[in-house]
């Protein structure tokens, strides 16, 4: 594995008075795909939201490309090279496909290469051109996910984080998005993603981290985790 591009260590995170993360950690290498696994309520989205600046940790450290980013505002973290595709897409429903995608290039660093990046994401997702003037809320769930990922890529990230990219999608669409993730990664973009289906996630990822009750309880190569007896314990309680 190449050097680490992301290191999140010892994260304690509270949502109001309730502590969700307890010393949680995750890391991602340059050009790597990492799966973040765990049952519902384990704190996966909270961990990702903390990395992207939507939440501030009570304790711990987030280092991206050798620089501490914990406590920076979300738009500053995007400028550093981290792009976050939120769970359930979160598109602007009454903006067009093109408008939603272009919003991903709002920061000055991305704006300069906007046209070039738009061509690239259109190659990955042809619907950006074919449905350019269609309102986002009229798209299918799978089409909305594609637009959301395209919007994230418009920021020209070095790390793309995707929360539940396959949630509620038909198997055919899942296969398409898996293929696109592989192409994005082949271009040198590291990917951190959340997924409930362990076998599917570890079939895509190089490594995985498992959260349980807000703590990182297992980490390692995907091939090792999928065979680990701890996986059964975490997900099935046995």
């Amino acid at each position: 594995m190449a050097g680490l591009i992301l290191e999140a260590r010892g994260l304690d995170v509270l949502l109001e008075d309730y502590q969700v993360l307890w010393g949680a950690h995750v890391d991602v290498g340059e050009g790597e795909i990492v799966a973040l696994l765990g049952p519902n309520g384990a704190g996966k989205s909270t961990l990702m939201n903390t990395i992207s600046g939507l939440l501030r940790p009570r304790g711990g450290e987030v280092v991206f490309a050798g620089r501490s980013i914990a406590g920076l505002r979300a738009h500053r973290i995007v400028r550093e090279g981290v792009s976050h595709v939120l769970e359930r897409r979160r598109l602007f429903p009454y903006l067009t496909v093109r408008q939603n995608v272009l919003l991903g290039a709002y920061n000055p660093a991305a704006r300069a290469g906007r046209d070039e990046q738009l061509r690239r994401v259109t190659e990955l997702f042809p619907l950006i051109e074919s449905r350019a003037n269609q309102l986002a809320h009229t798209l299918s769930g799978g089409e909305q996910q594609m637009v959301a990922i395209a919007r994230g890529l418009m920021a020209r990230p070095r790390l793309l984080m995707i929360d539940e990219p396959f949630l509620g999608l038909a198997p055919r669409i899942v296969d398409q998005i898996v293929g696109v993730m592989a192409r994005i990664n082949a271009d040198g973009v590291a990917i951190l993603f959340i997924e409930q289906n362990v076998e599917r996630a570890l079939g895509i990822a190089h490594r995985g981290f498992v959260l349980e009750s807000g703590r990182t309880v297992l980490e390692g190569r995907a091939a090792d985790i999928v065979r680990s007896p701890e996986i059964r314990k975490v997900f099935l309680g046995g």
Side-chain angles (χ1 to χ4, degrees):
M1 183 182 69
L4 295 178
I5 191 170
L6 173 74
E7 297 176 85
R9 302 184 290 251
L11 292 180
D12 294 330
V13 178
L14 281 71
L15 296 181
E16 297 183 351
D17 294 329
Y18 180 73
Q19 186 159 351
V20 179
L21 295 182
W22 304 76
H25 68 273
V26 66
D27 57 62
V28 181
E30 291 269 11
E32 188 179 34
I33 301 178
V34 173
L36 188 56
L37 307 166
N40 287 330
K44 303 182 299 297
S45 292
T46 298
L47 178 52
M48 195 170 275
N49 290 344
T50 303
I51 293 168
S52 68
L54 297 176
L55 295 172
R56 293 197 174 194
R58 182 182 186 182
E61 187 175 20
V62 181
V63 176
F64 179 75
R67 180 183 176 189
S68 176
I69 61 171
L72 291 182
R73 295 184 181 274
H75 71 277
R76 289 286 308 279
I77 291 175
V78 174
R79 292 181 65 174
E80 293 293 323
V82 179
S83 194
H84 184 184
V85 180
L86 296 166
E87 183 182 5
R88 300 186 185 278
R89 281 78 77 174
R90 310 291 180 91
L91 299 179
F92 293 94
Y94 292 99
L95 295 183
T96 66
V97 167
R98 180 179 174 84
Q99 288 169 333
N100 268 282
V101 170
L102 291 180
L103 280 172
Y106 73 90
N107 77 75
R111 204 176 302 148
R114 189 183 75 171
D115 292 343
E116 176 187 349
Q117 189 68 356
L118 181 61
R119 284 193 292 272
R120 174 57 181 154
V121 299
T122 301
E123 290 175 4
L124 292 170
F125 300 109
L127 70 86
I128 293 169
E129 183 174 11
S130 63
R131 307 287 188 88
N133 297 315
Q134 187 169 334
L135 296 182
H137 77 93
T138 65
L139 300 173
S140 70
E143 291 166 340
Q144 289 186 29
Q145 185 63 277
M146 293 178 189
V147 173
I149 294 172
R151 181 176 63 184
L153 288 172
M154 286 300 295
R156 305 181 78 175
R158 295 176 64 188
L159 172 65
L160 179 67
M161 303 195 302
I162 316 176
D163 193 337
E164 297 273 19
F166 315 125
L167 184 65
L169 303 185
R172 177 178 61 85
I173 303 299
V174 170
D175 290 343
Q176 289 182 27
I177 292 177
V178 168
V180 168
M181 288 172 63
R183 291 175 65 187
I184 293 167
N185 183 243
D187 284 342
V189 179
I191 297 174
L192 174 65
F193 73 102
I194 292 172
E195 171 56 25
Q196 292 287 344
N197 185 315
V198 174
E199 290 189 357
R200 176 192 291 151
L202 295 177
I204 302 167
H206 300 110
R207 290 189 302 131
F209 288 77
V210 180
L211 292 185
E212 184 180 22
S213 301
R215 294 174 169 85
T216 304
V217 296
L218 185 62
E219 62 183 274
R221 295 189 312 129
D224 295 334
I225 291 178
V226 77
R227 295 191 297 265
S228 170
E230 282 82 4
I231 280 289
R232 180 177 178 85
K233 178 182 177 182
V234 170
F235 285 90
L236 300 178

